Amino acid sequence: MDFTFTEEQQAAAEAAKAVFSGVAPDAVPSPALTPGAVSEDLDRPLWARLAAADLLSLTAPPEHGGAGLDAVALCLVLRESARVLARVPLLETSAVAMTVGRYASPETAAALLPRVGRGELVLTAASQGRTGHDPAERAVTARRDGTAWLLDGLQTAVPWAHGADLVAVPAHTAEGRSVLALLPRAHDGLTLTAQYSTNGELLAELRLDAVRLDAADVIDTEGAWEWLRGILTTGTCALALGLGETVLTMTSQYTGKREQFGHPVATFQAVAMQTADRYIDLRAMEATLWQAAWRLSSASEGRLPATGDIAVAKIWASEGVRRVVQTAQHLHGGFGADTDYPLHRYHAWAKHLELSLGPAAAHEEALGDLLATHPLG
């Protein structure tokens, strides 16, 4: 398998590095010292810079002003954003926009995607369901009412919902199909309640009570929600990788300077073994991430469906990012909990990503079910 990135993908990563180079991870109050949200809105100036660098239109089709790149390019950009804890819904907006371009009507795509690329429209997605453990599409019901749709239900822990213009909400019909509603943040029958993540960011519980949407605002094409869920999950793995790599670099720099008994602690065998183990975690996270992103981006048929590769990436990302930050805290000693030092922020973001991905045991069970239904022998 060839994991060499194309020139276009490498250019996207370089553009992202340039945009994120001036972002400070501690630009908002510490979540450890803030009882509520660290901020009421996303980083709008950074959002504008992403639009100016054409990174918000990265995956949009050329006919809508985009570069037409794939999930691999998006994950390269997300990896860079996580290195600085960028407070923007880049993953959610890009994933929903990709889904609109792939599954929505041409009229809907033409109305939304150019505005997304210019930074005028912020999108997010409800992917956690009621509890974060049940399928998100089962948390909301969708039924036809003439030419319109009526939606009822609840979605929890929706990121950036208070600042987004549209929320992509999965729902299920009486026939068992999944549909994807593009719901304006301010809409009759929709109530947003504030929730807070471990990293201090403002989330929302969405309660839908007979929300009526026109047919044009509901994507009922088969596979739309499954595609969006795959992009969101793979993108979250990319965020975990970028964060973990930065944390390991911070740990290496600290242990290289911190001395005990007249020697840098990095020279102690126990420290070297722990950091080597975390390096292996990160390389496994990287390999499984690119495999999942490649499967989403290509039409290649495998022995397992792409959900199998995504499950493997989730297993490594959810476990790996936790192990990396735990080891970093251990090797930093009490310094890792100092709120004047950024490591505690990375730890809080890592826990948010781990919770978003879900427990590795659940993904292992899902992978086992796939192997049972798709024998490799």
Side-chain angles (χ1 to χ4, degrees):
M1 186 170 296
D2 185 5
F3 278 151
T4 303
F5 300 117
T6 66
E7 291 184 5
E8 292 82 1
Q9 291 166 347
Q10 293 177 29
E14 291 301 319
K17 288 179 182 178
V19 172
F20 293 124
S21 63
V23 177
D26 54 357
V28 293
S30 166
L33 305 176
T34 309
V38 294
S39 178
E40 296 299 317
D41 197 12
L42 57 107
D43 187 339
R44 295 284 177 175
L46 176 57
W47 194 248
R49 295 199 296 274
L50 288 169
D54 294 328
L55 290 174
L56 298 183
S57 59
L58 188 72
T59 57
E63 62 266 27
H64 299 303
L69 298 186
D70 57 12
V72 174
L74 174 61
C75 287
L76 284 167
V77 174
L78 291 170
R79 183 187 192 179
E80 297 302 323
S81 76
R83 296 185 193 278
V84 296
L85 308 182
R87 299 183 51 261
V88 286
L90 180 59
L91 167 58
E92 294 81 5
T93 294
S94 299
V96 175
M98 290 175 74
T99 307
V100 168
R102 186 181 180 98
Y103 291 98
S105 68
E107 294 78 15
T108 299
L112 297 183
L113 296 185
R115 296 181 62 201
V116 170
R118 295 193 296 267
E120 300 169 0
L121 206 61
V122 176
L123 312 177
T124 191
S127 61
Q128 296 299 319
R130 286 180 174 269
T131 65
H133 300 289
D134 301 322
E137 69 274 15
R138 305 302 300 174
V140 176
T141 61
R143 65 186 189 276
R144 286 280 193 178
D145 183 30
T147 59
W149 288 86
L150 287 178
L151 288 85
D152 292 275
L154 182 144
Q155 294 277 356
T156 192
V158 182
W160 311 108
H162 292 274
D165 300 290
L166 290 175
V167 183
V169 179
H172 70 281
T173 68
E175 298 77 27
R177 294 191 306 110
S178 296
V179 299
L180 195 60
L182 302 177
L183 183 59
R185 172 170 45 89
H187 197 283
D188 291 341
L190 175 63
T191 304
L192 274 66
T193 303
Q195 296 176 316
Y196 308 104
S197 175
T198 58
N199 59 3
E201 295 297 340
L202 182 61
L203 307 176
E205 177 190 87
L206 271 61
R207 187 174 297 275
L208 294 79
D209 184 12
V211 170
R212 179 182 293 272
L213 288 177
D214 294 335
D217 297 323
V218 177
I219 303 174
D220 61 354
T221 309
E222 187 72 26
W225 161 237
E226 289 74 16
W227 166 263
L228 173 57
R229 181 174 57 198
I231 294 292
L232 288 170
T233 302
T234 306
T236 304
C237 293
L239 294 174
L241 175 62
L243 184 150
E245 289 175 329
T246 299
V247 167
L248 188 61
T249 298
M250 293 169 62
T251 305
S252 176
Q253 292 172 345
Y254 178 79
T255 56
K257 294 184 294 185
R258 173 72 173 173
E259 291 190 359
Q260 286 185 358
F261 312 112
H263 299 280
V265 297
T267 62
F268 298 168
Q269 185 179 33
V271 173
M273 291 176 64
Q274 290 183 69
T275 52
D277 285 343
R278 300 296 78 82
Y279 176 82
I280 293 171
D281 278 335
L282 290 171
R283 296 290 69 80
M285 289 167 64
E286 183 177 20
T288 55
L289 163 66
W290 299 133
Q291 169 71 7
W294 175 76
R295 285 297 304 277
L296 284 172
S297 303
S298 70
S300 175
E301 295 292 334
R303 301 296 293 273
L304 289 178
T307 50
D309 296 289
I310 294 172
V312 174
K314 285 197 291 185
I315 291 167
W316 276 104
S318 61
E319 289 283 292
V321 75
R322 174 180 55 80
R323 288 193 291 256
V324 168
V325 295
Q326 285 181 345
T327 297
Q329 288 285 12
H330 174 66
L331 296 182
H332 275 81
F335 199 54
D338 188 342
T339 55
D340 291 327
Y341 185 67
L343 180 60
H344 78 287
R345 294 179 182 270
Y346 285 89
H347 197 160
W349 276 72
K351 180 56 65 175
H352 170 68
L353 295 175
E354 180 189 353
L355 292 172
S356 298
L357 288 166
H363 311 321
E364 291 165 353
E365 182 178 351
L367 182 60
D369 291 340
L370 280 173
L371 289 169
T373 55
H374 298 79
L376 300 181

